[in-house]
Amino acid sequence: MSLLATIRKRLIHCAAAGVLAALLVAPALAAGLDAAKNAGTVGEMANGYIGVVAGKSVDAATQRTIDEINLQRQQQYRVIAEKNKVSVNAVAALAGKKLVEREPGGRYVRDSTGAWKTK
């Protein structure tokens, strides 16, 4: 395995662990997020964050949940990026790829082109 591949694999694992840690910090936030995902109003995005699906709307409480989780993710991505001497966007994109892959069928995800689709 090349050095680049090894680093990339390590970043993916670290980023995924960081995201999970951020979600585990606030289980109530994660529960609210799951409800919104199941309703088809929000979804995981390839950029590593959660977004409101195009053409949908959310109430103020759900938007606060999205904002809080995205802030936690950004903080985790920053820590991982600093440790690995890469950009926050690189870590976020690797985490986003994993998060989109892990979403169950029937949920919305936004791919790297910005298109929302049902998985």
Side-chain angles (χ1 to χ4, degrees):
M1 183 180 293
S2 72
L3 178 59
L4 181 58
T6 302
I7 292 170
R8 189 164 204 232
K9 183 177 179 181
R10 181 176 173 207
L11 282 175
I12 289 171
H13 291 296
C14 290
V19 170
L20 291 175
L23 290 176
L24 292 174
V25 169
L29 291 179
L33 177 63
D34 277 342
K37 284 180 173 182
N38 290 335
T41 56
V42 303
E44 293 291 345
M45 301 187 297
N47 67 0
Y49 298 96
I50 300 163
V52 177
V53 175
K56 308 283 182 164
S57 61
V58 295
D59 60 28
T62 301
Q63 186 61 57
R64 283 191 302 274
T65 298
I66 292 168
D67 294 344
E68 179 63 28
I69 290 173
N70 283 340
L71 179 63
Q72 290 178 9
R73 286 182 180 187
Q74 184 180 46
Q75 291 167 344
Q76 291 293 321
Y77 297 157
R78 184 172 291 117
V79 168
I80 293 164
E82 288 172 3
K83 285 181 182 176
N84 292 281
K85 304 208 184 318
V86 296
S87 73
V88 173
N89 287 341
V91 174
L94 290 170
K97 181 180 181 212
K98 284 298 233 188
L99 289 164
V100 166
E101 288 172 358
R102 289 181 179 180
E103 279 299 283
R107 286 187 172 178
Y108 280 96
V109 295
R110 192 173 87 179
D111 64 22
S112 59
T113 69
W116 284 101
K117 60 184 179 183
T118 306
K119 199 167 170 202

